[in-house]
Amino acid sequence: MAALIDVSLLRPPPSLLPFSKPSPRPHIHRPLKLRCSIAEGRTRFPPTIDGGELATVDCVIVGGGISGLCIAQALATKHSDVAPNVIVTEAKDRVGGNITTVERDGYLWEEGPNSFQPSDPMLTMVVDSGLKDDLVLGDPNAPRFVLWDGKLRPVPSKPTDLPFFDLMSIGGKLRAGFGAIGIRPPAPGHEESVEEFVRRNLGDEVFERLIEPFCSGVYAGDPSKLSMKAAFGKVWKLEQNGGSIIGGTFKTIQEKNKAPKPTRDPRLPKPKGQTVGSFRKGLSMLPEAISTSLGSKVKLSWKLSSITKLDGGYKLTYETPEGVVSLQSKTVVMTIPSYIASDLLNPLSAAAANALSKFYYPPVAAVTISYPKEAITTECIIDGELKGFGQLHPRSQGVETLGTIYSSSLFPNRAPPGRVLLLNYIGGATNPGILSKTEGELVEAVDRDLRKMLINPTAKDPLALGVRVWPQAIPQFLVGHLDLLETAKSALKDSGYDGLFLGGNYVSGVALGRCVEGAYEVAAGVKDFLSKYAYI
């Protein structure tokens, strides 16, 4: 699953704000023949994938979630001269992975990730998928809130807000400021957790009131175990490169100003400010549009049972509605969760499989409920409406819910007139016990929490629209994550499995936008590999 609450829902202080990779040269394409076979006595699988007597497959992408589809789309739009024939296989009967949009009774809601940051790579994918006119963006000026001492307090959205917001004390702000410029303890000689890094650099208040709920919202994670380097690498690099967060920020700005500015694709929309995006009919429009564009290259209900290495490629064997099918391809990209990839890769490399089996995916529930507008407490109403992106809840504040998205305020046409639609996340690394709760108990827990800060205690029970429990939701980028990932990649390479790539959110990052950026990076890697192969 991509990040729960998009990373821009709660921004760190401006001093913490972070700040991407091209692709190479001409080549000669030498096609690799695809072989398809089917077990005797079953319906015969046609000897072609896209018509013609013999299909040619340059890359098989295992997994039809957003990462797999976007890798295929990137290959089609940027590298079709090297990889014109790509197949995406998906074990389920639908594409999109954990992107799940539901529309019913005048409501439209998400049961997985809820939005994305409209970065240029993300917008490129949107435009190339034909969804530019369906893009919807939130109001960049909409407030974001953190619960502290029983009150929802706005988060600073720009440097001029810093002196005035009441989420932190004057002493906490001064400590953060001094730490950001480098007046703080030196870095230890080990990989720091998010908690260690933030407390050392910016102080206890920034950690407890901003970063800890931020980690809950993005990773559903425990910041005492998350790796700063792996989970928030751009901010980690600021201190590495500039001696402090502010020093690294200035150095990054200087380097960007010196470097020639790349020409921005004129097709891309220009979002205003820091905001989040979705589509007119929800996030599922993106995987569906890409799948429609790829057509018969997407194979649903194809469950991969084995991979074997051949001279010059790989053989993949699937259980499909048509029977047992085997494909041969020069390259393979695995975008399935690491624990599934581990089982499939174990016959190839026990070391790689062992590393992949160690990534942890905690459970998370998405609870979607609706109240009449008058159920919102008066102090949370702005100009007669519930306005804002949503709210996050530090674990110290006595509530179980990780955070709440104001879905009907964030994007248009998400709820009937007079109703408020709220998407709530509960569970995560610090609360795996949600797996023992019934749907009714999860709704009760969320409703009980909301009545402490957003909903009138005397309001009627909410309308429960959907409860979706993800038993293994989001990969945790724990201390040692990057080492484990490198161990898996190196083990495959050292065993001679070139052309077998690892992708997906445990590789690229959990935010939806990072999955798309990672897809372009993997596609470039596939292109480079096939380009070299063409010269052999």
Side-chain angles (χ1 to χ4, degrees), residues 270-282:
K270 294 180 180 177
K272 295 176 182 175
Q274 287 278 335
T275 186
V276 294
S278 183
F279 302 101
R280 182 176 48 85
K281 288 293 185 179

mmCIF file with all atom_site columns, all heavy atoms in Angstrom, residues 270-282:
data_model
loop_
_atom_site.group_PDB
_atom_site.id
_atom_site.type_symbol
_atom_site.label_atom_id
_atom_site.label_alt_id
_atom_site.label_comp_id
_atom_site.label_asym_id
_atom_site.label_entity_id
_atom_site.label_seq_id
_atom_site.pdbx_PDB_ins_code
_atom_site.Cartn_x
_atom_site.Cartn_y
_atom_site.Cartn_z
_atom_site.occupancy
_atom_site.B_iso_or_equiv
_atom_site.pdbx_formal_charge
_atom_site.auth_seq_id
_atom_site.auth_comp_id
_atom_site.auth_asym_id
_atom_site.auth_atom_id
_atom_site.pdbx_PDB_model_num
ATOM 1  N N   . LYS A 1 270 ? 0.259   23.101 -13.712 1.00 0.00 ? 270 LYS A N   1
ATOM 2  C CA  . LYS A 1 270 ? 1.096   23.817 -12.745 1.00 0.00 ? 270 LYS A CA  1
ATOM 3  C C   . LYS A 1 270 ? 0.337   23.977 -11.433 1.00 0.00 ? 270 LYS A C   1
ATOM 4  O O   . LYS A 1 270 ? -0.388  24.957 -11.241 1.00 0.00 ? 270 LYS A O   1
ATOM 5  C CB  . LYS A 1 270 ? 1.482   25.196 -13.294 1.00 0.00 ? 270 LYS A CB  1
ATOM 6  C CG  . LYS A 1 270 ? 2.378   25.108 -14.523 1.00 0.00 ? 270 LYS A CG  1
ATOM 7  C CD  . LYS A 1 270 ? 2.740   26.495 -15.025 1.00 0.00 ? 270 LYS A CD  1
ATOM 8  C CE  . LYS A 1 270 ? 3.647   26.389 -16.263 1.00 0.00 ? 270 LYS A CE  1
ATOM 9  N NZ  . LYS A 1 270 ? 3.961   27.721 -16.817 1.00 0.00 ? 270 LYS A NZ  1
ATOM 10 N N   . PRO A 1 271 ? 0.490   23.014 -10.524 1.00 0.00 ? 271 PRO A N   1
ATOM 11 C CA  . PRO A 1 271 ? -0.199  23.123 -9.230  1.00 0.00 ? 271 PRO A CA  1
ATOM 12 C C   . PRO A 1 271 ? 0.287   24.343 -8.459  1.00 0.00 ? 271 PRO A C   1
ATOM 13 O O   . PRO A 1 271 ? 1.450   24.724 -8.554  1.00 0.00 ? 271 PRO A O   1
ATOM 14 C CB  . PRO A 1 271 ? 0.179   21.827 -8.506  1.00 0.00 ? 271 PRO A CB  1
ATOM 15 C CG  . PRO A 1 271 ? 0.672   20.911 -9.580  1.00 0.00 ? 271 PRO A CG  1
ATOM 16 C CD  . PRO A 1 271 ? 1.277   21.788 -10.629 1.00 0.00 ? 271 PRO A CD  1
ATOM 17 N N   . LYS A 1 272 ? -0.603  24.928 -7.688  1.00 0.00 ? 272 LYS A N   1
ATOM 18 C CA  . LYS A 1 272 ? -0.245  26.080 -6.873  1.00 0.00 ? 272 LYS A CA  1
ATOM 19 C C   . LYS A 1 272 ? 0.035   25.627 -5.448  1.00 0.00 ? 272 LYS A C   1
ATOM 20 O O   . LYS A 1 272 ? -0.776  24.948 -4.831  1.00 0.00 ? 272 LYS A O   1
ATOM 21 C CB  . LYS A 1 272 ? -1.383  27.105 -6.877  1.00 0.00 ? 272 LYS A CB  1
ATOM 22 C CG  . LYS A 1 272 ? -1.630  27.703 -8.255  1.00 0.00 ? 272 LYS A CG  1
ATOM 23 C CD  . LYS A 1 272 ? -2.836  28.630 -8.226  1.00 0.00 ? 272 LYS A CD  1
ATOM 24 C CE  . LYS A 1 272 ? -3.114  29.191 -9.620  1.00 0.00 ? 272 LYS A CE  1
ATOM 25 N NZ  . LYS A 1 272 ? -4.350  29.995 -9.640  1.00 0.00 ? 272 LYS A NZ  1
ATOM 26 N N   . GLY A 1 273 ? 1.190   26.000 -4.933  1.00 0.00 ? 273 GLY A N   1
ATOM 27 C CA  . GLY A 1 273 ? 1.519   25.714 -3.542  1.00 0.00 ? 273 GLY A CA  1
ATOM 28 C C   . GLY A 1 273 ? 1.682   24.235 -3.268  1.00 0.00 ? 273 GLY A C   1
ATOM 29 O O   . GLY A 1 273 ? 1.763   23.403 -4.166  1.00 0.00 ? 273 GLY A O   1
ATOM 30 N N   . GLN A 1 274 ? 1.738   23.924 -1.964  1.00 0.00 ? 274 GLN A N   1
ATOM 31 C CA  . GLN A 1 274 ? 1.859   22.544 -1.511  1.00 0.00 ? 274 GLN A CA  1
ATOM 32 C C   . GLN A 1 274 ? 0.459   21.952 -1.398  1.00 0.00 ? 274 GLN A C   1
ATOM 33 O O   . GLN A 1 274 ? -0.320  22.347 -0.548  1.00 0.00 ? 274 GLN A O   1
ATOM 34 C CB  . GLN A 1 274 ? 2.549   22.505 -0.147  1.00 0.00 ? 274 GLN A CB  1
ATOM 35 C CG  . GLN A 1 274 ? 4.021   22.804 -0.214  1.00 0.00 ? 274 GLN A CG  1
ATOM 36 C CD  . GLN A 1 274 ? 4.844   21.585 -0.607  1.00 0.00 ? 274 GLN A CD  1
ATOM 37 O OE1 . GLN A 1 274 ? 4.428   20.462 -0.396  1.00 0.00 ? 274 GLN A OE1 1
ATOM 38 N NE2 . GLN A 1 274 ? 6.002   21.818 -1.190  1.00 0.00 ? 274 GLN A NE2 1
ATOM 39 N N   . THR A 1 275 ? 0.142   20.994 -2.266  1.00 0.00 ? 275 THR A N   1
ATOM 40 C CA  . THR A 1 275 ? -1.193  20.424 -2.241  1.00 0.00 ? 275 THR A CA  1
ATOM 41 C C   . THR A 1 275 ? -1.121  18.939 -2.533  1.00 0.00 ? 275 THR A C   1
ATOM 42 O O   . THR A 1 275 ? -0.034  18.364 -2.653  1.00 0.00 ? 275 THR A O   1
ATOM 43 C CB  . THR A 1 275 ? -2.099  21.138 -3.265  1.00 0.00 ? 275 THR A CB  1
ATOM 44 O OG1 . THR A 1 275 ? -3.438  20.662 -3.113  1.00 0.00 ? 275 THR A OG1 1
ATOM 45 C CG2 . THR A 1 275 ? -1.631  20.902 -4.698  1.00 0.00 ? 275 THR A CG2 1
ATOM 46 N N   . VAL A 1 276 ? -2.260  18.298 -2.591  1.00 0.00 ? 276 VAL A N   1
ATOM 47 C CA  . VAL A 1 276 ? -2.338  16.880 -2.946  1.00 0.00 ? 276 VAL A CA  1
ATOM 48 C C   . VAL A 1 276 ? -3.343  16.726 -4.074  1.00 0.00 ? 276 VAL A C   1
ATOM 49 O O   . VAL A 1 276 ? -4.195  17.585 -4.310  1.00 0.00 ? 276 VAL A O   1
ATOM 50 C CB  . VAL A 1 276 ? -2.745  15.995 -1.748  1.00 0.00 ? 276 VAL A CB  1
ATOM 51 C CG1 . VAL A 1 276 ? -1.662  16.005 -0.687  1.00 0.00 ? 276 VAL A CG1 1
ATOM 52 C CG2 . VAL A 1 276 ? -4.086  16.436 -1.166  1.00 0.00 ? 276 VAL A CG2 1
ATOM 53 N N   . GLY A 1 277 ? -3.234  15.611 -4.792  1.00 0.00 ? 277 GLY A N   1
ATOM 54 C CA  . GLY A 1 277 ? -4.086  15.395 -5.949  1.00 0.00 ? 277 GLY A CA  1
ATOM 55 C C   . GLY A 1 277 ? -4.796  14.058 -5.915  1.00 0.00 ? 277 GLY A C   1
ATOM 56 O O   . GLY A 1 277 ? -4.430  13.125 -5.196  1.00 0.00 ? 277 GLY A O   1
ATOM 57 N N   . SER A 1 278 ? -5.843  13.978 -6.737  1.00 0.00 ? 278 SER A N   1
ATOM 58 C CA  . SER A 1 278 ? -6.574  12.745 -6.987  1.00 0.00 ? 278 SER A CA  1
ATOM 59 C C   . SER A 1 278 ? -7.216  12.902 -8.356  1.00 0.00 ? 278 SER A C   1
ATOM 60 O O   . SER A 1 278 ? -6.784  13.732 -9.160  1.00 0.00 ? 278 SER A O   1
ATOM 61 C CB  . SER A 1 278 ? -7.612  12.477 -5.891  1.00 0.00 ? 278 SER A CB  1
ATOM 62 O OG  . SER A 1 278 ? -8.272  11.236 -6.127  1.00 0.00 ? 278 SER A OG  1
ATOM 63 N N   . PHE A 1 279 ? -8.271  12.134 -8.611  1.00 0.00 ? 279 PHE A N   1
ATOM 64 C CA  . PHE A 1 279 ? -8.977  12.220 -9.884  1.00 0.00 ? 279 PHE A CA  1
ATOM 65 C C   . PHE A 1 279 ? -10.479 12.347 -9.637  1.00 0.00 ? 279 PHE A C   1
ATOM 66 O O   . PHE A 1 279 ? -10.970 12.044 -8.545  1.00 0.00 ? 279 PHE A O   1
ATOM 67 C CB  . PHE A 1 279 ? -8.676  10.989 -10.750 1.00 0.00 ? 279 PHE A CB  1
ATOM 68 C CG  . PHE A 1 279 ? -7.212  10.808 -11.019 1.00 0.00 ? 279 PHE A CG  1
ATOM 69 C CD1 . PHE A 1 279 ? -6.463  9.888  -10.303 1.00 0.00 ? 279 PHE A CD1 1
ATOM 70 C CD2 . PHE A 1 279 ? -6.566  11.600 -11.958 1.00 0.00 ? 279 PHE A CD2 1
ATOM 71 C CE1 . PHE A 1 279 ? -5.108  9.740  -10.521 1.00 0.00 ? 279 PHE A CE1 1
ATOM 72 C CE2 . PHE A 1 279 ? -5.214  11.474 -12.184 1.00 0.00 ? 279 PHE A CE2 1
ATOM 73 C CZ  . PHE A 1 279 ? -4.475  10.538 -11.461 1.00 0.00 ? 279 PHE A CZ  1
ATOM 74 N N   . ARG A 1 280 ? -11.154 12.791 -10.656 1.00 0.00 ? 280 ARG A N   1
ATOM 75 C CA  . ARG A 1 280 ? -12.598 13.070 -10.563 1.00 0.00 ? 280 ARG A CA  1
ATOM 76 C C   . ARG A 1 280 ? -13.358 11.883 -9.969  1.00 0.00 ? 280 ARG A C   1
ATOM 77 O O   . ARG A 1 280 ? -14.261 12.056 -9.153  1.00 0.00 ? 280 ARG A O   1
ATOM 78 C CB  . ARG A 1 280 ? -13.118 13.404 -11.964 1.00 0.00 ? 280 ARG A CB  1
ATOM 79 C CG  . ARG A 1 280 ? -14.577 13.777 -12.062 1.00 0.00 ? 280 ARG A CG  1
ATOM 80 C CD  . ARG A 1 280 ? -14.927 14.168 -13.495 1.00 0.00 ? 280 ARG A CD  1
ATOM 81 N NE  . ARG A 1 280 ? -14.413 13.189 -14.443 1.00 0.00 ? 280 ARG A NE  1
ATOM 82 C CZ  . ARG A 1 280 ? -15.058 12.063 -14.778 1.00 0.00 ? 280 ARG A CZ  1
ATOM 83 N NH1 . ARG A 1 280 ? -16.215 11.778 -14.217 1.00 0.00 ? 280 ARG A NH1 1
ATOM 84 N NH2 . ARG A 1 280 ? -14.534 11.223 -15.663 1.00 0.00 ? 280 ARG A NH2 1
ATOM 85 N N   . LYS A 1 281 ? -12.986 10.677 -10.357 1.00 0.00 ? 281 LYS A N   1
ATOM 86 C CA  . LYS A 1 281 ? -13.643 9.473  -9.849  1.00 0.00 ? 281 LYS A CA  1
ATOM 87 C C   . LYS A 1 281 ? -12.702 8.640  -8.972  1.00 0.00 ? 281 LYS A C   1
ATOM 88 O O   . LYS A 1 281 ? -12.838 7.420  -8.871  1.00 0.00 ? 281 LYS A O   1
ATOM 89 C CB  . LYS A 1 281 ? -14.157 8.613  -11.014 1.00 0.00 ? 281 LYS A CB  1
ATOM 90 C CG  . LYS A 1 281 ? -15.364 9.195  -11.727 1.00 0.00 ? 281 LYS A CG  1
ATOM 91 C CD  . LYS A 1 281 ? -16.594 9.207  -10.831 1.00 0.00 ? 281 LYS A CD  1
ATOM 92 C CE  . LYS A 1 281 ? -17.839 9.680  -11.552 1.00 0.00 ? 281 LYS A CE  1
ATOM 93 N NZ  . LYS A 1 281 ? -19.027 9.670  -10.662 1.00 0.00 ? 281 LYS A NZ  1
ATOM 94 N N   . GLY A 1 282 ? -11.751 9.300  -8.333  1.00 0.00 ? 282 GLY A N   1
ATOM 95 C CA  . GLY A 1 282 ? -10.889 8.621  -7.379  1.00 0.00 ? 282 GLY A CA  1
ATOM 96 C C   . GLY A 1 282 ? -9.600  8.085  -7.970  1.00 0.00 ? 282 GLY A C   1
ATOM 97 O O   . GLY A 1 282 ? -9.382  8.086  -9.184  1.00 0.00 ? 282 GLY A O   1
#
